[in-house]
Amino acid sequence: MPSRLNFRSLDLNLLRVFDEVMAERSLTKAAHKLSLTQPAVSNAMRRLREVLGDDLVVRSGQGVEPTPRALALWPPIRDALTQLQESLSPGRFDPATAESTFVLAMADATGATLVPGLVEILESEAPGVAVRVVPLTTRDPRRLLEEEAADMAVGYFPAVLADLTARAQSGGMVSFESRRLYDSEYMCVMRQGHPLADAPLTLDAYCEARHMLVSFSGRPFGFIDEALASLGRRRRVVLTVNQFFTAGRVVSGSDMLTVLPRHFVPVTGIADALVQRSLPFDVPPVHVDALWRRNSTQEAAMGWLLSALARSARRAFPQGEPGHSAGTSFGITP
């Protein structure tokens, strides 16, 4: 590796190519986003390798994997490119004339709560703006946001927010922001006429029943099981699904129990077929937060999107109703 880089000889366009290759982990995808040919991207990466004296990426399956040097270089290079873009073209966002597309990652229960109000706002304020909702398959969406697979994730992220808050309080660099949209709680849900529907739900009865678990990742052990384990108890999970809607539909026609957010049951369309009971043990409340990656070029657009989601949450939970939290800031949000 050269002992000293001649920065004056460095073509800054190579850094744009490097940034896209790192984000996409694919020369082909990077070429598509940059409107270049794949050979042009390969040539740019070759030139950058010669300047930096490092392979930067190596082939892996259908894509590429970065070297340790590339991983160390990427954050400051991306930040520098972002600051340069902002300096040359400050971010502005006018919802009435914008023709943007926002990608939101959220579970079906969250979408059922927020999307109807969001659509009303789009139709009245931002007719040229499109929203694409993708499944949220993790309780830690930071990588999803870093890779720009989504602009914002909306869901229940207690461990992530605790980690980011601790980093901020210790003076560490935090590249994410969050905002509380609404609160709810988890309820035990069963069909009308279920053998347990007409009596108080006890811990013994709950543990002896057959259960369905909603797991975004497919992991057959959730926070309910963790709460039971802390009591030295366990339940029998006989079915695992990845959608709350599926869980509600299956439970309405079986003798299984499931756990759903209380705010979700009324929007299932089959609330009359379901019975809700408080869980016979303590579980944390559901805090639904928006989480996004800081990006100065998108600050105005993300601010509008966040406002739209907060207003949608207030429509779903009018003042005084369960779930209302007034869109309060939380954790790392200034």
Side-chain angles (χ1 to χ4, degrees), residues 123-203:
E123 291 178 343
S124 63
E125 298 181 16
V129 171
V131 171
R132 182 158 56 94
V133 178
V134 298
L136 181 65
T137 59
T138 177
R139 292 292 188 194
D140 187 350
R142 283 176 286 186
R143 182 171 181 179
L144 189 74
L145 299 170
E146 288 173 339
E147 294 177 349
E148 299 183 354
D151 299 303
M152 183 177 288
V154 183
Y156 180 48
F157 314 124
V160 173
L161 297 186
D163 177 56
L164 295 176
T165 300
R167 292 189 188 187
Q169 291 175 344
S170 65
M173 180 178 176
V174 176
S175 58
F176 294 90
E177 296 188 47
S178 72
R179 183 171 177 178
R180 178 68 41 80
L181 294 176
Y182 61 90
D183 298 321
S184 188
E185 61 182 325
Y186 284 107
M187 302 291 289
C188 177
V189 177
M190 64 193 79
R191 67 171 176 83
Q192 289 281 359
H194 190 283
L196 299 178
D198 295 327
L201 184 60
T202 66
L203 181 58

Side-chain angles (χ1 to χ4, degrees), residues 216-246:
F216 301 151
S217 65
R219 179 172 172 258
F221 189 88
F223 70 93
I224 293 294
D225 303 284
E226 292 172 355
L228 287 172
S230 70
L231 300 174
R233 306 296 295 269
R234 59 183 299 180
R235 61 176 176 166
R236 183 186 177 195
V237 176
V238 297
L239 178 63
T240 301
V241 299
N242 65 355
Q243 290 186 327
F244 289 114
F245 265 115
T246 301

